[in-house]
Amino acid sequence: MDPLGFDGAWLFSPRIHTDRRGAFLEWFRNDQLDRPLELAQANCSVSTKGVLRGVHYADVPPGQAKYVTCVSGSVLDVAVDLRTGSPTFGRWAAARLDDVSRRAVYLAEGLGHAFFTLSESATVVYLCSTSYAPQREHGIHPLDPALGIVWPEGIEPILADKDAAAPTLAEAVEHGLLPSYADCLAHYASAPGGQQGRPGLV
């Protein structure tokens, strides 16, 4: 597990065993995470080229930690620190996930998540610590200049209506829509096996 630039965002690069039959890997190991992911839901998203999903996040508590991989095709996966008061608030980090490297990204509660489809089609699967609850789910506009996320050039992004209508980072701050860093630290510390301020540390 390698840090992606701020606490709570980690990149996992698995060891892939190949032979004449194909390949085998362990794409998820709960014991590799310092704070185990309590699995409540598993999602599968199939997207065409240019589809941009996110930036999505959930209220904390309870929030929603995610463990994300791309099982077919390739995507640019992005984590954003949306925790107000965090020393890295507003920072983003990106990693390419694809069906060759088989890498995965872990995101702690309070972080925003988005991905951009690079291949003609891509299938992304992710494990979630809590079940989907519409009243707790929110988004930030992924093309907000204040975020400054560098999306792939030469591919027109395709957004869902709700993502296209999502507030900017400044608007979310103004309306008190974002999780606070203090609340996230308290939540990390209260979770089984948690370490305050070091979610997902290995």
Side-chain angles (χ1 to χ4, degrees), residues 70-91:
C70 180
V71 297
S72 176
S74 60
V75 300
L76 181 70
D77 200 78
V78 175
V80 184
D81 190 349
L82 298 177
R83 304 166 296 189
T84 58
S86 166
T88 54
F89 175 71
R91 183 181 298 176

Side-chain angles (χ1 to χ4, degrees), residues 25 30 181 199:
L25 67 143
N30 223 2
Y181 190 51

Side-chain angles (χ1 to χ4, degrees), residues 154-194:
I155 307 176
E156 186 67 25
I158 303 169
L159 277 65
D161 291 343
K162 70 172 186 176
D163 291 337
T168 64
L169 184 64
E171 290 169 341
V173 170
E174 180 183 354
H175 293 96
L177 300 176
L178 300 177
S180 76
Y181 190 51
D183 286 345
C184 289
L185 291 182
H187 180 69
Y188 303 153
S190 68

Side-chain angles (χ1 to χ4, degrees), residues 72-119:
S72 176
S74 60
V75 300
L76 181 70
D77 200 78
V78 175
V80 184
D81 190 349
L82 298 177
R83 304 166 296 189
T84 58
S86 166
T88 54
F89 175 71
R91 183 181 298 176
W92 61 273
R96 181 188 175 103
L97 305 182
D98 56 43
D99 56 12
V100 177
S101 69
R102 303 292 183 183
R103 299 193 300 178
V105 168
Y106 169 82
L107 301 103
E109 299 91 338
L111 299 183
H113 175 246
F115 67 83
F116 190 105
T117 306
L118 302 171
S119 52

Side-chain angles (χ1 to χ4, degrees), residues 33-176:
L33 301 176
D34 187 63
R35 182 165 57 85
L37 180 71
E38 294 187 25
L39 179 60
Q41 182 172 318
N43 298 334
C44 178
S45 173
V46 180
S47 305
T48 58
K49 187 172 184 177
V51 166
L52 172 52
R53 299 182 186 268
V55 176
H56 300 150
Y57 67 98
D59 291 334
V60 179
Q64 189 182 66
K66 296 177 180 177
Y67 190 85
V68 187
T69 194
C70 180
V71 297
S72 176
S74 60
V75 300
L76 181 70
D77 200 78
V78 175
V80 184
D81 190 349
L82 298 177
R83 304 166 296 189
T84 58
S86 166
T88 54
F89 175 71
R91 183 181 298 176
W92 61 273
R96 181 188 175 103
L97 305 182
D98 56 43
D99 56 12
V100 177
S101 69
R102 303 292 183 183
R103 299 193 300 178
V105 168
Y106 169 82
L107 301 103
E109 299 91 338
L111 299 183
H113 175 246
F115 67 83
F116 190 105
T117 306
L118 302 171
S119 52
E120 291 302 317
S121 177
T123 300
V124 173
V125 295
Y126 46 104
L127 310 178
C128 302
S129 64
T130 57
S131 298
Y132 175 71
Q135 69 277 13
R136 296 198 305 262
E137 301 291 328
H138 307 284
I140 300 296
H141 201 296
L143 304 180
D144 178 10
L147 284 180
I149 300 172
V150 180
W151 299 110
E153 296 182 358
I155 307 176
E156 186 67 25
I158 303 169
L159 277 65
D161 291 343
K162 70 172 186 176
D163 291 337
T168 64
L169 184 64
E171 290 169 341
V173 170
E174 180 183 354
H175 293 96

